[in-house]
Amino acid sequence: MPVEPAGSVWEFPPVAVAGASDVVAGGADLAPGTVLAAYRAGLFPMPDHRGSVLWWSPVDRGVIEVAGYRPSRTVRRARSKFEIRVNTAFDQVIRACADPRRPGSWIDRDIIASYTELHRLGWVHSVEAWDGDELAGGLYGVAIGGLFAGESMFHHKTDGSKAAVAGLVELLDDEYAADRVLDIQWVTDHLATLGAVSIPREAYVRRVAEAVKLPLPKAFS
């Protein structure tokens, strides 16, 4: 089971103060208690181009609905190519996601340090797609009760990240699936092909407040 860290010394404002902006606040720190408090409030940290920490809650929040998920033929084909494992190569996954050669790379060493500590405490997990003994792709994210907040994904082989997403949905699809929240931050064209949809920020925050009360999926407990 995850170890609850010391509480945050910071207090986040309600997301409504952001109005039409996706950014709710700036500053604070990346201590485990602060990061978990943010996710429980519907926020997540992402640094700006100067490295300053901003706390985001998109007006249109991207999610993948776990209950009734129907992967496309392309996603089913991708999933069939790989074995899905959990937490067997976390360091490799987060560093592959942080590769500065990737377009739009934002995961800096402070983010890596924070999420690695949260992984050690049992809150952050990697979901990996393996082709034999080769890591083909994967993702990492924060699991709090019925919330899984996906942070980033990568692939070394074609369809590796698609398989990891499909595998994650399988891991979340249990008796609580209808109330679980699989957060993907924003809906991109690529994520839309994997089944992502947008919901209003207010609805997302309400759902998260209930989801975090649920039991963890077995794969992450």
Side-chain angles (χ1 to χ4, degrees):
M1 291 296 292
V3 176
E4 188 72 41
S8 179
V9 299
W10 305 95
E11 184 175 343
F12 291 104
V15 298
V17 304
S21 173
D22 288 350
V23 177
V24 175
D29 57 39
L30 292 172
T34 302
V35 175
L36 293 177
Y39 282 99
R40 287 168 170 144
L43 305 166
F44 61 88
M46 182 180 290
D48 64 15
H49 67 280
R50 297 183 301 273
S52 300
V53 177
L54 300 178
W55 300 90
W56 301 76
S57 185
V59 173
D60 298 308
R61 191 66 170 247
V63 299
I64 294 176
E65 300 292 0
V66 176
Y69 180 69
R70 296 290 181 268
S72 67
R73 182 184 304 175
T74 301
V75 174
R76 292 197 303 272
R77 189 182 304 120
R79 172 65 184 90
S80 69
K81 295 178 183 178
F82 304 103
E83 176 190 358
I84 300 300
R85 303 178 192 171
V86 174
N87 291 336
T88 67
F90 177 80
D91 288 342
Q92 289 175 256
V93 169
I94 195 169
R95 292 187 183 280
C97 289
D99 188 339
R101 296 171 295 181
R102 297 180 64 195
S105 178
W106 57 271
I107 302 170
D108 60 21
R109 60 186 180 184
D110 291 334
I111 292 287
I112 292 174
S114 174
Y115 284 74
T116 299
E117 176 63 8
L118 283 163
H119 172 67
R120 188 188 70 80
L121 293 172
W123 297 96
V124 169
H125 307 275
S126 59
V127 178
E128 309 140 9
W130 288 85
D131 183 6
D133 61 357
E134 294 185 61
L135 180 60
L139 59 87
Y140 75 96
V142 181
I144 306 175
L147 167 67
F148 190 94
E151 283 297 300
S152 186
M153 61 184 182
F154 78 98
H155 70 275
H156 289 325
K157 291 191 172 184
T158 301
D159 292 338
S161 59
K162 288 182 183 178
V165 172
L168 172 59
V169 175
E170 293 171 9
L171 297 173
L172 300 177
D173 190 8
D174 58 14
E175 65 267 36
Y176 301 102
D179 297 313
R180 294 197 183 282
V181 176
L182 173 49
D183 167 35
I184 50 88
Q185 299 177 346
W186 290 277
V187 177
T188 64
D189 290 342
H190 174 61
L191 288 170
T193 68
L194 303 182
V197 297
S198 291
I199 62 173
R201 176 166 58 199
E202 296 78 9
Y204 174 83
V205 171
R206 287 196 300 271
R207 287 180 60 178
V208 165
E210 296 303 316
V212 295
K213 302 173 186 177
L214 297 174
L216 280 167
K218 291 180 180 179
F220 305 129
S221 60

